[in-house]
Amino acid sequence: MIDLTSPRVDAATSVLGIETSCDETAAAVVVGGHQVRSSVVSSQVDIHARFGGVVPEIASRAHVDLLTPVIAEALVEGGFHGPELGAVAATYGPGLVGALLVGVSTAKALALVWDVPFVAVNHLEAHLYAALVEDPSIELPAVVLLVSGGHTMLISMEAHGQYRLLGSTIDDAAGEAFDKVGRFLGLGYPGGPAIDRVAMEGDPKAVAFPRAMRNEGLDFSFSGLKTSVVNHVRKHPDAATEDVAASFQEAVVDVLVEKARRAAQQTGARGLVLGGGVAANSLLRERFLSACVEDGIHGFLPSRAMCTDNAAMVAAAGWWRLRSDGPSGLDTGADPNLRLPLLTD
Ligand code: KG4
Ligand code: ZN
């Protein structure tokens, strides 16, 4: 039986993080919530590319094959033996249920064998912590623009574990729009990095795509933009793909940056932080930093590797959760629809 009493959690506490929520199999060792000793990511992109998107059953099987060697590499590189760890943390949601189960079951088994605590981590919370891993000096409250394949949210991070939702997408996530438009333009999967690349050769002013809900609060909408791209290409079959990609990307980035800076102004945040896979986008990174300089706010951009799915952010979020809530029970299951715990008052 595992001990559920809160262990001492301090700067020397090491956490093995495990991430298997979608198509990256990742493990990392992080000490004290921010010192990354190792971070190994094995991408399944090549396995899913020929299907044009992630095939859940294939993802689960690939995680089964890849996770043990990925964990072994993270431990060797990090210089840790399992029983020396302070805890094992794994993403338990949101994500693909079969994929999540592989990480959660492995983490619980290792925690039991090594006799160390298990910590269940919310994948969205892990993305929020990505920036803090690289810059622990970020002052709270900070506004985080979390833009991933499944989510587009503006969150006020008021203190550790205290999040207020300022705005979110009412339909598609920004990453989903990149992936759908990328597929429609024949750029393959995932669409985000492909559009980022192709857009560099195009004219962002070639097509004036709509900026939905631009003046309506802090929520987003991207599904109309995707439809506009499809309609434009059907009407102008000779339009250069580079121009369409650049114009689409410009429209997404315009809205994301405008709403993020508005959120920071409205909340009086000390910092503005980017997180999630779309935060790897070159134009978004450039515009985001210029906006922060213009507005005199401390902007923080995690490295590209920290924006996309990785286990260092899971280990970091796990360290904070272990400190605030103690270990998770071994009866904790995968929760594909898990939400970010939000302040409601
Ligand atoms: O955070 P993430 O790795 O996984 C989720 O939790 O969803 O985000 C994946 C998303 C995909 O939609 C992918 O196309 C997008 O991030 N993405 C990008 C770029 N790199 C990844 N979108 C735009 N530009 C990029 N460079
Ligand atoms: Zn993610």
Side-chain angles (χ1 to χ4, degrees):
M1 203 43 208
I2 207 145
D3 184 5
L4 279 183
T5 51
S6 290
R8 192 184 146 84
V9 180
D10 58 23
T13 305
S14 54
V15 177
L16 169 69
I18 295 176
E19 162 60 39
T20 62
S21 67
C22 191
D23 60 344
E24 321 283 358
T25 312
V29 178
V30 176
V31 176
H34 64 91
Q35 291 172 48
V36 182
R37 293 291 169 83
S38 62
S39 181
V40 181
V41 180
S42 173
S43 174
Q44 301 176 10
V45 161
D46 295 343
I47 302 175
H48 299 285
R50 66 197 168 104
F51 300 105
V54 179
V55 182
E57 183 56 28
I58 294 176
S60 315
R61 286 163 193 259
H63 285 308
V64 171
D65 290 341
L66 296 165
L67 189 54
T68 305
V70 164
I71 290 174
E73 193 178 331
L75 289 175
V76 170
E77 242 182 61
F80 279 88
H81 291 289
E84 297 163 1
L85 292 163
V88 180
T91 299
Y92 77 113
L96 303 170
V97 68
L100 290 164
L101 273 170
V102 177
V104 170
S105 318
T106 304
K108 290 197 285 194
L110 292 176
L112 202 55
V113 169
W114 293 335
D115 194 22
V116 300
F118 161 69
V119 192
V121 170
N122 182 314
H123 183 78
L124 299 173
E125 184 166 64
H127 273 303
L128 294 183
Y129 274 91
L132 281 149
V133 174
E134 291 185 340
D135 185 356
S137 72
I138 293 173
E139 280 185 79
L140 304 181
V143 167
V144 187
L145 172 61
L146 176 52
V147 270
S148 67
H151 296 83
T152 297
M153 297 168 129
L154 271 166
I155 290 151
S156 169
M157 192 169 178
E158 305 195 345
H160 292 288
Q162 313 259 299
Y163 316 120
R164 199 174 294 282
L165 184 66
L166 303 172
S168 63
T169 181
I170 61 162
D171 41 54
D172 289 355
E176 197 179 345
F178 267 102
D179 292 338
K180 286 178 175 169
V181 168
R183 191 177 317 146
F184 175 72
L185 294 177
L187 298 174
Y189 167 83
I195 289 180
D196 193 344
R197 252 188 332 270
V198 168
M200 291 187 188
E201 313 295 325
D203 175 6
K205 295 200 166 44
V207 193
F209 286 127
R211 272 71 167 156
M213 300 180 72
R214 185 169 209 159
N215 300 312
E216 293 163 51
L218 296 173
D219 285 337
F220 304 89
S221 165
F222 294 109
S223 90
L225 172 58
K226 175 199 66 199
T227 309
S228 297
V229 172
V230 172
N231 290 341
H232 180 84
V233 173
R234 291 207 170 125
K235 216 164 146 194
H236 306 277
D238 296 333
T241 300
E242 292 81 357
D243 289 347
V244 176
S247 303
F248 160 78
Q249 179 177 265
E250 182 83 10
V252 175
V253 169
D254 257 3
V255 180
L256 290 176
V257 172
E258 191 169 319
K259 299 223 173 190
R261 67 203 292 189
R262 198 183 299 158
Q265 281 157 7
Q266 282 179 12
T267 55
R270 290 165 190 261
L272 189 53
V273 177
L274 261 191
V278 181
N281 182 265
S282 312
L283 184 71
L284 177 58
R285 297 173 76 82
E286 187 188 313
R287 292 279 169 81
F288 173 84
L289 279 185
S290 318
C292 290
V293 170
E294 239 172 69
D295 293 355
I297 185 161
H298 179 181
F300 191 76
L301 258 184
S303 63
R304 282 186 161 84
M306 195 55 86
C307 291
T308 49
D309 286 349
N310 67 85
M313 66 183 192
V314 175
W319 184 89
W320 284 99
R321 276 289 159 197
L322 186 64
R323 211 166 87 136
S324 61
D325 302 0
S328 308
L330 289 184
D331 55 351
T332 310
D335 184 348
N337 302 313
L338 187 68
R339 288 165 176 263
L340 193 66
L342 294 170
L343 295 169
T344 48
D345 60 323

